[in-house]
Amino acid sequence: MLAHLDVLHAVAGLLVGTLVGLTGVGGGSLMTPILVLIFGINPGTAVGTDLLFASITKIFGSFVHNRHESVDWKIMRRLAIGSVPAAVLTLLAVSTFGKFGNDTNHVILTVLGTMLIVTAIATLFQKKLATFAKTHDRKDDSRTLLPTIVLGAVLGAAVSVSSVGAGAIGVTALLMLYPALRVSRIVGTDIAHAVPLTLVAGFGHWLIGGVDPTLLLNLLIGSIPGVAAGSLLSTRSPDHILRPALAAVLLASGIKLLS
């Protein structure tokens, strides 16, 4: 393992893991742009590797949230009903392009850049939107069924192509659909839902040939202690400074990828 250790990739994993622990924003919106813009990794490989990276890290997160009873499994199933089939169909569509080439990479970069800009907006205004949602009456359970499945389908397609969307965008949308639910339960549900979604999408990319196992190992070496450290520091972090700064980075990355 030491023979394949890449210190720079491990440091990138440490940085992203720490920020995820501090802010709760998904690693895909941070890791994929770093791999593409800084390390020059092929976009298809960056997305596929990051999806498996996210699935492994979020398995541990979902266990923790489940122990604290902060996962709503009914909402999670609704999301998965939409997201898993959408991920499979999206990957089948991507595979029709054959081996990742310039056309496929262009589509991935376009979707990734767009999703980063949307994530930046969601990250910046998430708390204001949550406060706004709290002022409205709780929707009847039957009225939230279809919108939740549709949300899952949108996330499934977007995450499969860009690895971005299951974090900040998913949480923000769930806050609007289920305003009476505690934020911790929304976050736990979103993390639990991300596990099957990123596993299916990640293994799909593996079959297509879009995963680098060595890169994945190096990212995990850095990210696991990073998430732990960030989580411990999160109660002391200046959220009013971190969130705007993170949103600015995501916005700049999105614009750079689109250009």
Side-chain angles (χ1 to χ4, degrees), residues 72 74-75 78 138-148 177-178:
D72 190 311
K74 181 176 69 176
I75 297 175
R78 290 178 174 183
R138 182 176 183 175
K139 295 181 180 179
D140 183 74
D141 189 62
S142 61
R143 292 176 60 191
T144 58
L145 173 60
L146 183 58
T148 305
L177 284 171
Y178 301 93

Side-chain angles (χ1 to χ4, degrees), residues 165-176:
I169 296 174
V171 168
T172 303
L174 288 175
L175 285 169
M176 301 299 290

Side-chain angles (χ1 to χ4, degrees), residues 137-203:
D137 294 333
R138 182 176 183 175
K139 295 181 180 179
D140 183 74
D141 189 62
S142 61
R143 292 176 60 191
T144 58
L145 173 60
L146 183 58
T148 305
I149 294 174
V150 172
L151 171 63
V154 172
L155 292 177
V159 169
S160 297
V161 176
S162 67
S163 78
V164 178
I169 296 174
V171 168
T172 303
L174 288 175
L175 285 169
M176 301 299 290
L177 284 171
Y178 301 93
L181 221 56
R182 299 195 316 272
V183 174
S184 61
R185 199 164 173 82
I186 291 284
V187 171
T189 302
D190 182 73
I191 289 175
H193 163 248
V195 173
L197 171 56
T198 52
L199 274 174
V200 169
F203 278 114

Side-chain angles (χ1 to χ4, degrees), residues 213-233:
T214 304
L215 174 61
L216 174 62
L217 178 62
N218 282 305
L219 296 178
L220 288 171
I221 288 172
S223 69
I224 293 174
V227 170
S231 299
L232 291 172
L233 293 171

Side-chain angles (χ1 to χ4, degrees), residues 196-256:
L197 171 56
T198 52
L199 274 174
V200 169
F203 278 114
H205 276 271
W206 191 311
L207 293 174
I208 295 171
V211 173
D212 185 334
T214 304
L215 174 61
L216 174 62
L217 178 62
N218 282 305
L219 296 178
L220 288 171
I221 288 172
S223 69
I224 293 174
V227 170
S231 299
L232 291 172
L233 293 171
S234 61
T235 55
R236 305 176 185 177
S237 62
D239 192 65
H240 65 286
I241 297 176
L242 276 177
R243 280 192 175 272
L246 181 59
V249 171
L250 295 176
L251 181 63
S253 298
I255 293 172
K256 176 65 176 177

Side-chain angles (χ1 to χ4, degrees), residues 1 3 20 31 35 54 56 64 74-75 92 98 106-107 109 112 123 145 147 149 151 159 167 175 179 239 241 250:
M1 185 173 72
V20 169
M31 182 59 75
L35 293 177
I56 293 170
V64 173
K74 181 176 69 176
I75 297 175
L92 286 173
H106 176 71
V107 171
L109 288 174
L112 176 58
T123 301
L145 173 60
I149 294 174
L151 171 63
V159 169
L175 285 169
D239 192 65
I241 297 176
L250 295 176

